[in-house]
Amino acid sequence: MICDYRLKVFYTVAVKGSFTAAAKELGITQPAVSNHISELEGNIGDLLFYRSRRETVLTPKGRILFDYAERILNLYRCAGRELMPVKKEERRQIVIAAVPEAARLILKPIVDHFIRIYPGTDISLLERSREDAAESIKDAEADIAVTDAPAEGCDSTVFATVSVNGAAVPMATYYLSRSADSSGNSAVNDFLLCCRTFK
């Protein structure tokens, strides 16, 4: 797979919260992890992590790099998926409940793009009212809900904004919620990463 290994090391440390855990995940030594991070910090000219015995926390510049690293590593992953022959894998499923405008204008092109990269995935895109989409998340009938307002009783984050060039405020903001059961679903995680890098 195409990849900037130092960026992968940095990202793994940030996600795992420690150099030791990152070393174990990557199958390298802890001093090797430290060297990769030191090289990155040398190039940037600033610290990426606050280090202590108990935890490793991103600095402000580390948080900036983390956002870019997540997108860059996903782009590498998507490129690898498109360039290399597709291996047979289990059929994977994702169910998305979304308000009609979000389903048609935002999610449809992302779903088409994702299926091209991950052809072994079946995605059901269900058009629902805000209330029904939120209920489908609570009842675990859908993995993801995209609504035009935060769903009550769910953790909702901003998913997308639609605006007209030159407008002072967005025309619409859509919110993402996910079911508790979907957190360990690799297909859902892959889809959300793809959403962050889709253009």
Side-chain angles (χ1 to χ4, degrees):
M1 179 179 128
I2 306 163
C3 186
D4 180 330
Y5 195 69
R6 285 186 307 178
L7 209 55
K8 184 176 181 180
V9 171
F10 163 78
Y11 182 78
T12 307
V13 171
V15 169
K16 293 292 180 182
S18 87
F19 283 48
T20 305
K24 186 175 180 182
E25 172 80 11
L26 295 166
I28 60 177
T29 65
Q30 192 271 334
V33 170
S34 296
N35 287 339
H36 285 298
I37 299 303
S38 293
E39 286 175 17
L40 275 176
E41 289 176 332
N43 288 343
I44 291 165
D46 208 343
L47 292 177
L48 294 169
F49 294 100
Y50 296 121
R51 301 160 173 88
S52 73
R53 285 186 179 181
R54 285 185 291 180
E55 60 183 355
T56 301
V57 179
L58 289 166
T59 64
K61 284 201 177 171
R63 283 194 295 274
I64 292 168
L65 183 59
F66 180 83
D67 289 341
Y68 281 105
E70 186 170 54
R71 284 180 273 170
I72 291 165
L73 291 172
N74 188 53
L75 286 171
Y76 280 141
R77 194 171 169 190
C78 291
R81 291 282 306 195
E82 290 202 68
L83 293 168
M84 294 174 196
V86 177
K87 295 177 183 174
K88 285 192 174 182
E89 56 183 296
E90 298 180 20
R91 299 295 293 178
R92 304 190 307 167
Q93 281 193 313
I94 304 172
V95 179
I96 306 168
V99 293
E101 298 81 13
R104 294 178 203 149
L105 301 175
I106 298 168
L107 287 164
K108 181 70 170 68
I110 296 174
V111 166
D112 292 344
H113 175 71
F114 185 81
I115 288 171
R116 192 178 82 236
I117 298 168
Y118 294 92
T121 308
D122 293 320
I123 299 182
S124 300
L125 184 52
L126 314 173
E127 293 188 16
R128 299 286 185 263
S129 68
R130 178 195 314 152
E131 294 77 13
D132 288 345
E135 279 303 311
S136 68
I137 285 292
K138 290 177 192 170
D139 297 339
E141 293 171 357
D143 302 299
I144 301 167
V146 179
T147 53
D148 56 355
E152 285 187 30
C154 300
D155 288 333
S156 300
T157 57
V158 172
F159 178 70
T161 56
V162 178
S163 58
V164 175
N165 287 343
V169 293
M171 287 175 58
T173 300
Y174 296 99
Y175 296 84
L176 171 93
S177 306
R178 60 189 293 184
S179 72
D181 295 345
S182 74
S183 58
N185 185 328
S186 64
V188 171
N189 293 333
D190 288 340
F191 181 77
L192 293 177
L193 273 174
C194 191
C195 289
R196 290 183 198 134
T197 53
F198 179 75
K199 294 289 182 193

